[in-house]
Amino acid sequence: MSTTELVKESASEMARQLRAKEISSRELVQAQLDVIEAAEPSIDAFLHVSADQALEQADAIDKRLAAGETEGMSELAGVPIAIKDMIVTKGIPTTAASRILEGWVPPYDATVIEKIKAAGLPILGKTNLDEFAQGSSTEHSAYKSTHNPWDTERVPGGSGGGSASAVAAFEAPLALGTDTGGSIRQPGALTGTVGVKPTYGGVSRFGAIAMASSLDQIGPVSRSVLDSALLQELIGGYDRRDSTSIPKPVPPLAAAAREGMKRDLKGMKVGLVKELGGEGYQPGVEARFNEGVRLLEDMGAEVVEVSCPHFPYALAAYYIIMPSEVSSNLARYDGMRYGMRVMPPEGVERTAANMMSATREAGFGDEVKRRIILGIYALSAGYYDAWYGSAQKVRTLIIRDFEQAFEKADVLVSPTSPTTAFKFGDKMDDPLAMYLNDVATIPANMAGSPAMSIPAGLSDDGLPVGFQFFAPQMRDEVMYKPAAALEAALQEQWGGPVFKDLKAPWLDGLTNGSAK
Ligand code: GLN
């Protein structure tokens, strides 16, 4: 199989070829490194490529596979993965795409990274993001903007645009992201990839750089629903090092996805969220979404409309709670402990406080500073109840909306993002327009419940549209079944995955290259 054919396969197909000894992990990793080299000049998804470590890990896995020592290994053993640079990796620079962490090489691994290493997945490198995961386009990275493989003049979404673009551009079959308000799902929608935000507490946050701790969650990015299921099973589970980790086993996600592929949804009730659609949603997005709903119906699901009357307030409440937590979490970047230190300018007294402000002034970008200022304001004495207190009440109402909706339906659906990918610069001068990207994704973070985005096809502009599923807390398997069913039905219509329509000129030079 040529490099070009191999890297377009799903992670589970790569895993099958590995187990059948048709390819080795080293060959697979090398093929992905070749694509990364060819694609990066036009995509810019990676902040750091850890080629040597990845090849070393691949060799170790090949040895274990050859010796039949597969104990503790995942079904995905040998398949490489890219990691959002918001997740701490021992010995590999970790920056959160911020200048303030430039040059920091962590002395420890996040829990999810420990699990990935133990399961035998070589790490290709660290992917770009909006600084400290704050944004919806990846343009707020302090280092560079990532391009959307479907149209390199456009953004890939954010904050996890690097992970989404890496997977969409065939640079990696799998990636990890973090989702605080939609940073896995919205880039998933804009790049045609599958992106999952697991139940809050379902995947350990230990070693995920904190943005807004009550909302942050690590989750998978892939090109198929089954691949995300396998990856979430691998990274999920209780961790005593995360105080909000839920002491329950990971639900049977891959089994649910495989069940879904049979395309029989009889007995399942699908709730259409009335408030997530209509005004502000691009017609091409609504058209693909409605077609998806009809396919679910064709497979036997009963579609009902549900109302979540407080969802329209989710975005406003999020922009109180999130910055409040950001201002507190980012207080640790003080020039003392890690990363950058800037001494006060000539003539200014060399005190610790002056060093801290000089460091934070130079180290943080404008969007991060905006949120720190908003958060400090929302938490200040006299305003605390009016702002933070009210936002927390809205949060409770959103949780109740979900509870009531799940009495009427097993799974809820909506478009993932109101629009397809926009052009660089389009929303940079208008923070509110940027924030509105997340109207449909934020409710799940506010409630701590799981949600995922899968590709629903291309809009009239030729750009991918995302279809979102929501499930009840710790019932992540409930969304994997209809998601896999819809994916299978759509792929039958298209005659293959959505990516068959992606022109990937960076692969052209590799066509003759062979991974044996
Ligand atoms: N785009 C949202 C924000 O800017 C979501 C961020 C995220 O999920 N990390 O806050």
Side-chain angles (χ1 to χ4, degrees):
M1 185 178 267
S2 73
T3 299
T4 315
E5 284 164 346
L6 177 63
V7 297
K8 286 185 175 176
E9 294 292 358
S10 65
S12 18
E13 170 56 21
M14 290 175 181
R16 188 201 61 75
Q17 295 188 19
L18 275 160
R19 297 218 164 223
K21 306 227 164 32
E22 291 165 21
I23 46 165
S24 67
S25 181
R26 170 172 269 268
E27 284 162 345
L28 191 49
V29 168
Q30 192 56 59
Q32 294 296 171
L33 291 171
D34 292 346
V35 176
I36 291 172
E37 201 182 316
E40 278 302 276
S42 29
I43 304 297
D44 265 332
F46 283 85
L47 287 173
H48 183 88
V49 178
S50 44
D52 294 344
Q53 284 118 308
L55 288 166
E56 259 172 49
Q57 285 166 341
D59 286 342
I61 292 149
D62 282 333
K63 259 198 210 140
R64 279 174 67 188
L65 285 173
E69 291 165 15
T70 49
E71 193 167 319
M73 271 192 176
S74 140
E75 196 174 321
L76 293 172
V79 179
I81 186 166
I83 308 290
K84 188 182 186 184
D85 206 20
M86 193 70 172
I87 300 173
V88 166
T89 43
K90 185 175 178 174
I92 305 177
T94 301
T95 65
S98 180
R99 291 280 170 211
I100 214 157
L101 276 176
E102 196 166 357
W104 185 52
V105 181
Y108 69 103
D109 274 326
T111 297
V112 292
I113 301 297
E114 284 180 354
K115 289 189 175 211
I116 276 171
K117 285 183 176 170
L121 281 70
I123 294 171
L124 293 167
K126 305 297 291 288
T127 58
N128 197 23
L129 63 149
D130 289 291
E131 184 176 3
F132 283 107
Q134 298 171 24
S136 301
S137 69
T138 319
E139 291 165 288
H140 291 302
S141 165
Y143 300 99
K144 59 184 180 185
S145 288
T146 296
H147 300 252
N148 191 318
W150 292 87
D151 175 353
T152 51
E153 308 276 295
R154 290 174 190 268
V155 305
S159 65
S163 281
S165 275
V167 171
F170 310 112
E171 293 177 271
L174 296 169
L176 284 187
T178 62
D179 192 312
T180 303
S183 284
I184 294 176
R185 290 163 288 155
Q186 183 259 8
L190 271 48
T191 59
T193 50
V194 175
V196 184
K197 184 202 89 72
T199 295
Y200 183 82
V203 176
S204 171
R205 286 183 299 110
F206 178 79
I209 294 176
M211 175 185 167
S213 309
S214 76
L215 302 157
D216 298 341
Q217 204 45 209
I218 295 176
V221 179
S222 67
R223 288 190 300 267
S224 90
V225 172
L226 176 63
D227 289 355
S228 274
L230 291 165
L231 182 54
Q232 191 182 331
E233 281 188 0
L234 188 166
I235 58 172
Y238 175 69
D239 180 15
R240 61 173 181 80
R241 293 180 295 186
D242 169 2
S243 62
T244 57
S245 178
I246 298 176
K248 281 195 185 147
V250 189
L253 308 174
R258 289 192 166 108
E259 186 60 32
M261 287 169 177
K262 296 179 189 155
R263 291 162 57 178
D264 179 3
L265 297 179
K266 274 191 269 325
M268 175 171 279
K269 269 198 182 169
V270 174
L272 259 170
V273 183
K274 198 174 99 190
E275 287 76 9
L276 302 179
E279 207 193 326
Y281 287 74
Q282 202 173 302
V285 168
E286 294 220 278
R288 291 299 88 75
F289 173 70
N290 292 332
E291 287 159 18
V293 171
R294 274 198 294 278
L295 281 175
L296 292 173
E297 236 168 354
D298 290 348
M299 292 184 279
E302 184 192 338
V303 177
V304 294
E305 193 179 77
V306 297
S307 175
C308 295
H310 301 96
F311 280 19
Y313 306 104
L315 187 85
Y318 171 83
Y319 275 95
I320 299 291
I321 293 171
M322 176 273 297
S324 300
E325 296 185 19
V326 161
S327 71
S328 144
N329 274 326
L330 269 53
R332 77 191 66 182
Y333 304 103
D334 55 7
M336 298 276 187
R337 282 170 281 191
Y338 18 57
M340 170 184 221
R341 172 176 300 167
V342 178
M343 294 314 277
E346 202 73 32
V348 176
E349 207 187 339
R350 286 164 76 90
T351 61
N354 288 339
M355 181 278 286
M356 273 181 218
S357 36
T359 301
R360 289 166 68 83
E361 167 62 32
F364 288 139
D366 288 348
E367 181 62 23
V368 170
K369 284 177 186 156
R370 177 179 2 253
R371 295 187 190 205
I372 292 173
I373 292 167
L374 281 172
I376 290 172
Y377 179 76
L379 291 177
S380 54
Y383 293 99
Y384 183 91
D385 285 338
W387 296 109
Y388 193 75
S390 310
Q392 288 292 17
K393 285 180 190 149
V394 172
R395 195 167 183 175
T396 304
L397 294 171
I398 291 166
I399 295 173
R400 277 192 209 147
D401 277 0
F402 268 114
E403 281 166 4
Q404 281 163 10
F406 284 124
E407 279 167 20
K408 299 193 188 88
D410 302 301
V411 68
L412 308 180
V413 294
S414 79
T416 309
S417 178
T419 70
T420 54
F422 44 95
K423 289 220 159 98
F424 288 105
D426 264 10
K427 302 192 180 179
M428 280 299 268
D429 298 329
D430 185 352
L432 274 183
M434 190 71 94
Y435 297 169
L436 278 166
N437 271 282
D438 304 308
V439 272
T441 46
I442 282 173
N445 301 84
M446 295 292 266
S449 48
M452 69 194 286
S453 179
I454 72 160
L458 306 180
S459 174
D460 339 325
D461 52 15
L463 297 165
V465 171
F467 191 107
Q468 183 172 226
F469 291 89
F470 301 92
Q473 261 192 322
M474 276 318 263
R475 297 292 314 280
D476 303 43
E477 77 282 7
V478 168
M479 64 188 181
Y480 272 99
K481 181 179 169 185
L486 180 57
E487 175 184 65
L490 284 167
Q491 292 195 2
E492 188 186 79
Q493 272 187 5
W494 303 332
V498 73
F499 292 100
K500 74 172 193 10
D501 292 322
L502 173 68
K503 291 178 200 67
W506 51 90
L507 294 181
D508 290 350
L510 297 169
T511 332
N512 299 324
S514 165
K516 207 170 82 185

mmCIF file of all heavy atoms in Angstrom, residues 43-45 84 127-130 137-138 146-147 149 155-167 183 186-187 191:
data_model
loop_
_atom_site.group_PDB
_atom_site.id
_atom_site.type_symbol
_atom_site.label_atom_id
_atom_site.label_comp_id
_atom_site.label_asym_id
_atom_site.label_seq_id
_atom_site.Cartn_x
_atom_site.Cartn_y
_atom_site.Cartn_z
ATOM 1 N N ILE A 43 -0.167 23.793 6.038
ATOM 2 C CA ILE A 43 -1.167 23.585 7.095
ATOM 3 C C ILE A 43 -0.752 24.197 8.440
ATOM 4 O O ILE A 43 -1.579 24.764 9.157
ATOM 5 C CB ILE A 43 -1.463 22.068 7.288
ATOM 6 C CG1 ILE A 43 -1.909 21.419 5.958
ATOM 7 C CG2 ILE A 43 -2.501 21.835 8.374
ATOM 8 C CD1 ILE A 43 -3.205 21.954 5.389
ATOM 9 N N ASP A 44 0.492 24.061 8.842
ATOM 10 C CA ASP A 44 0.959 24.630 10.120
ATOM 11 C C ASP A 44 0.161 24.130 11.322
ATOM 12 O O ASP A 44 -0.245 24.911 12.186
ATOM 13 C CB ASP A 44 0.904 26.165 10.079
ATOM 14 C CG ASP A 44 2.252 26.772 9.693
ATOM 15 O OD1 ASP A 44 3.297 26.143 9.975
ATOM 16 O OD2 ASP A 44 2.256 27.882 9.125
ATOM 17 N N ALA A 45 -0.058 22.833 11.395
ATOM 18 C CA ALA A 45 -0.829 22.274 12.508
ATOM 19 C C ALA A 45 0.028 22.018 13.745
ATOM 20 O O ALA A 45 -0.486 21.974 14.856
ATOM 21 C CB ALA A 45 -1.491 20.966 12.073
ATOM 22 N N LYS A 84 -2.674 17.936 21.460
ATOM 23 C CA LYS A 84 -2.834 19.391 21.589
ATOM 24 C C LYS A 84 -1.837 19.915 22.611
ATOM 25 O O LYS A 84 -1.660 19.310 23.677
ATOM 26 C CB LYS A 84 -4.268 19.691 22.036
ATOM 27 C CG LYS A 84 -4.638 21.166 22.039
ATOM 28 C CD LYS A 84 -6.083 21.346 22.544
ATOM 29 C CE LYS A 84 -6.558 22.777 22.428
ATOM 30 N NZ LYS A 84 -7.912 22.970 22.996
ATOM 31 N N THR A 127 0.277 19.911 18.902
ATOM 32 C CA THR A 127 -0.453 20.692 17.900
ATOM 33 C C THR A 127 -0.823 22.090 18.396
ATOM 34 O O THR A 127 -0.984 22.333 19.587
ATOM 35 C CB THR A 127 -1.727 19.956 17.459
ATOM 36 O OG1 THR A 127 -2.539 19.705 18.604
ATOM 37 C CG2 THR A 127 -1.382 18.651 16.760
ATOM 38 N N ASN A 128 -0.996 22.962 17.425
ATOM 39 C CA ASN A 128 -1.258 24.377 17.668
ATOM 40 C C ASN A 128 -2.674 24.621 18.213
ATOM 41 O O ASN A 128 -3.568 23.789 18.027
ATOM 42 C CB ASN A 128 -1.085 25.125 16.335
ATOM 43 C CG ASN A 128 -0.928 26.615 16.518
ATOM 44 O OD1 ASN A 128 -0.527 27.101 17.580
ATOM 45 N ND2 ASN A 128 -1.233 27.371 15.464
ATOM 46 N N LEU A 129 -2.846 25.761 18.860
ATOM 47 C CA LEU A 129 -4.133 26.112 19.478
ATOM 48 C C LEU A 129 -4.168 27.617 19.696
ATOM 49 O O LEU A 129 -3.143 28.293 19.600
ATOM 50 C CB LEU A 129 -4.292 25.382 20.824
ATOM 51 C CG LEU A 129 -3.286 25.728 21.919
ATOM 52 C CD1 LEU A 129 -3.929 25.588 23.278
ATOM 53 C CD2 LEU A 129 -2.058 24.828 21.833
ATOM 54 N N ASP A 130 -5.343 28.139 20.004
ATOM 55 C CA ASP A 130 -5.404 29.504 20.497
ATOM 56 C C ASP A 130 -4.726 29.526 21.860
ATOM 57 O O ASP A 130 -4.870 28.576 22.641
ATOM 58 C CB ASP A 130 -6.867 29.942 20.665
ATOM 59 C CG ASP A 130 -7.570 30.143 19.335
ATOM 60 O OD1 ASP A 130 -7.223 31.087 18.625
ATOM 61 O OD2 ASP A 130 -8.472 29.338 19.017
ATOM 62 N N SER A 137 -10.584 30.013 16.475
ATOM 63 C CA SER A 137 -10.028 30.039 15.122
ATOM 64 C C SER A 137 -8.550 29.647 15.052
ATOM 65 O O SER A 137 -8.003 29.526 13.962
ATOM 66 C CB SER A 137 -10.187 31.441 14.535
ATOM 67 O OG SER A 137 -9.340 32.344 15.231
ATOM 68 N N THR A 138 -7.905 29.499 16.197
ATOM 69 C CA THR A 138 -6.466 29.216 16.297
ATOM 70 C C THR A 138 -5.616 30.438 15.905
ATOM 71 O O THR A 138 -4.393 30.376 15.904
ATOM 72 C CB THR A 138 -6.062 27.943 15.503
ATOM 73 O OG1 THR A 138 -7.073 26.945 15.710
ATOM 74 C CG2 THR A 138 -4.772 27.313 15.971
ATOM 75 N N THR A 146 -3.040 28.148 12.203
ATOM 76 C CA THR A 146 -3.181 26.885 11.476
ATOM 77 C C THR A 146 -4.193 27.070 10.355
ATOM 78 O O THR A 146 -5.164 27.802 10.506
ATOM 79 C CB THR A 146 -3.624 25.777 12.451
ATOM 80 O OG1 THR A 146 -2.586 25.577 13.407
ATOM 81 C CG2 THR A 146 -3.894 24.470 11.723
ATOM 82 N N HIS A 147 -3.939 26.390 9.225
ATOM 83 C CA HIS A 147 -4.809 26.531 8.059
ATOM 84 C C HIS A 147 -5.765 25.350 7.946
ATOM 85 O O HIS A 147 -5.433 24.233 8.335
ATOM 86 C CB HIS A 147 -3.967 26.634 6.790
ATOM 87 C CG HIS A 147 -3.044 27.816 6.800
ATOM 88 N ND1 HIS A 147 -3.238 28.924 6.020
ATOM 89 C CD2 HIS A 147 -1.940 28.083 7.556
ATOM 90 C CE1 HIS A 147 -2.295 29.814 6.273
ATOM 91 N NE2 HIS A 147 -1.488 29.323 7.202
ATOM 92 N N PRO A 149 -7.429 22.479 5.975
ATOM 93 C CA PRO A 149 -7.044 21.711 4.780
ATOM 94 C C PRO A 149 -8.062 21.820 3.643
ATOM 95 O O PRO A 149 -7.707 21.604 2.486
ATOM 96 C CB PRO A 149 -6.969 20.269 5.281
ATOM 97 C CG PRO A 149 -6.887 20.352 6.761
ATOM 98 C CD PRO A 149 -7.512 21.637 7.182
ATOM 99 N N VAL A 155 -9.759 29.492 8.445
ATOM 100 C CA VAL A 155 -9.367 28.967 9.755
ATOM 101 C C VAL A 155 -9.897 27.537 9.923
ATOM 102 O O VAL A 155 -10.882 27.157 9.284
ATOM 103 C CB VAL A 155 -9.908 29.851 10.902
ATOM 104 C CG1 VAL A 155 -9.468 31.286 10.731
ATOM 105 C CG2 VAL A 155 -11.427 29.760 11.003
ATOM 106 N N PRO A 156 -9.257 26.758 10.784
ATOM 107 C CA PRO A 156 -9.742 25.406 11.066
ATOM 108 C C PRO A 156 -10.681 25.372 12.279
ATOM 109 O O PRO A 156 -11.041 24.301 12.743
ATOM 110 C CB PRO A 156 -8.449 24.666 11.401
ATOM 111 C CG PRO A 156 -7.581 25.715 12.028
ATOM 112 C CD PRO A 156 -7.952 27.036 11.411
ATOM 113 N N GLY A 157 -11.048 26.536 12.806
ATOM 114 C CA GLY A 157 -11.783 26.567 14.071
ATOM 115 C C GLY A 157 -10.807 26.573 15.227
ATOM 116 O O GLY A 157 -9.583 26.567 15.037
ATOM 117 N N GLY A 158 -11.354 26.598 16.438
ATOM 118 C CA GLY A 158 -10.456 26.631 17.593
ATOM 119 C C GLY A 158 -11.213 26.327 18.872
ATOM 120 O O GLY A 158 -12.423 26.153 18.849
ATOM 121 N N SER A 159 -10.512 26.161 19.952
ATOM 122 C CA SER A 159 -9.091 26.413 20.003
ATOM 123 C C SER A 159 -8.242 25.276 19.419
ATOM 124 O O SER A 159 -7.088 25.508 19.067
ATOM 125 C CB SER A 159 -8.667 26.648 21.455
ATOM 126 O OG SER A 159 -8.863 25.475 22.226
ATOM 127 N N GLY A 160 -8.787 24.084 19.281
ATOM 128 C CA GLY A 160 -7.968 22.949 18.867
ATOM 129 C C GLY A 160 -7.834 22.815 17.362
ATOM 130 O O GLY A 160 -7.900 21.707 16.816
ATOM 131 N N GLY A 161 -7.568 23.915 16.670
ATOM 132 C CA GLY A 161 -7.448 23.860 15.218
ATOM 133 C C GLY A 161 -6.275 23.015 14.754
ATOM 134 O O GLY A 161 -6.323 22.400 13.687
ATOM 135 N N GLY A 162 -5.217 22.947 15.559
ATOM 136 C CA GLY A 162 -4.045 22.162 15.177
ATOM 137 C C GLY A 162 -4.363 20.677 15.137
ATOM 138 O O GLY A 162 -4.062 19.987 14.148
ATOM 139 N N SER A 163 -4.995 20.171 16.186
ATOM 140 C CA SER A 163 -5.340 18.741 16.221
ATOM 141 C C SER A 163 -6.318 18.401 15.100
ATOM 142 O O SER A 163 -6.165 17.389 14.406
ATOM 143 C CB SER A 163 -5.959 18.372 17.579
ATOM 144 O OG SER A 163 -4.947 18.210 18.550
ATOM 145 N N ALA A 164 -7.328 19.252 14.895
ATOM 146 C CA ALA A 164 -8.340 18.975 13.868
ATOM 147 C C ALA A 164 -7.715 18.996 12.479
ATOM 148 O O ALA A 164 -7.948 18.096 11.663
ATOM 149 C CB ALA A 164 -9.474 19.998 13.968
ATOM 150 N N SER A 165 -6.891 20.015 12.192
ATOM 151 C CA SER A 165 -6.275 20.102 10.867
ATOM 152 C C SER A 165 -5.280 18.967 10.643
ATOM 153 O O SER A 165 -5.183 18.440 9.531
ATOM 154 C CB SER A 165 -5.543 21.437 10.691
ATOM 155 O OG SER A 165 -6.446 22.419 10.269
ATOM 156 N N ALA A 166 -4.532 18.584 11.682
ATOM 157 C CA ALA A 166 -3.567 17.491 11.528
ATOM 158 C C ALA A 166 -4.291 16.210 11.106
ATOM 159 O O ALA A 166 -3.826 15.478 10.224
ATOM 160 C CB ALA A 166 -2.799 17.264 12.829
ATOM 161 N N VAL A 167 -5.440 15.953 11.725
ATOM 162 C CA VAL A 167 -6.193 14.734 11.402
ATOM 163 C C VAL A 167 -6.847 14.866 10.025
ATOM 164 O O VAL A 167 -6.836 13.931 9.220
ATOM 165 C CB VAL A 167 -7.224 14.434 12.522
ATOM 166 C CG1 VAL A 167 -8.167 13.318 12.111
ATOM 167 C CG2 VAL A 167 -6.505 14.058 13.824
ATOM 168 N N SER A 183 -13.942 23.495 22.007
ATOM 169 C CA SER A 183 -12.655 23.486 21.301
ATOM 170 C C SER A 183 -12.251 22.173 20.658
ATOM 171 O O SER A 183 -11.261 22.127 19.929
ATOM 172 C CB SER A 183 -11.542 23.927 22.242
ATOM 173 O OG SER A 183 -11.611 25.315 22.404
ATOM 174 N N GLN A 186 -16.099 22.195 17.691
ATOM 175 C CA GLN A 186 -16.214 23.234 16.647
ATOM 176 C C GLN A 186 -15.108 23.075 15.589
ATOM 177 O O GLN A 186 -15.405 23.101 14.398
ATOM 178 C CB GLN A 186 -16.260 24.626 17.304
ATOM 179 C CG GLN A 186 -16.445 25.788 16.327
ATOM 180 C CD GLN A 186 -15.125 26.492 16.031
ATOM 181 O OE1 GLN A 186 -14.061 26.033 16.431
ATOM 182 N NE2 GLN A 186 -15.193 27.606 15.304
ATOM 183 N N PRO A 187 -13.838 22.859 15.975
ATOM 184 C CA PRO A 187 -12.846 22.569 14.936
ATOM 185 C C PRO A 187 -13.163 21.264 14.192
ATOM 186 O O PRO A 187 -12.896 21.146 12.998
ATOM 187 C CB PRO A 187 -11.525 22.433 15.710
ATOM 188 C CG PRO A 187 -11.770 23.051 17.035
ATOM 189 C CD PRO A 187 -13.235 22.953 17.312
ATOM 190 N N THR A 191 -13.528 21.163 10.072
ATOM 191 C CA THR A 191 -12.535 20.410 9.288
ATOM 192 C C THR A 191 -13.048 19.041 8.830
ATOM 193 O O THR A 191 -12.291 18.264 8.246
ATOM 194 C CB THR A 191 -11.248 20.167 10.111
ATOM 195 O OG1 THR A 191 -11.612 19.437 11.291
ATOM 196 C CG2 THR A 191 -10.561 21.464 10.506
#
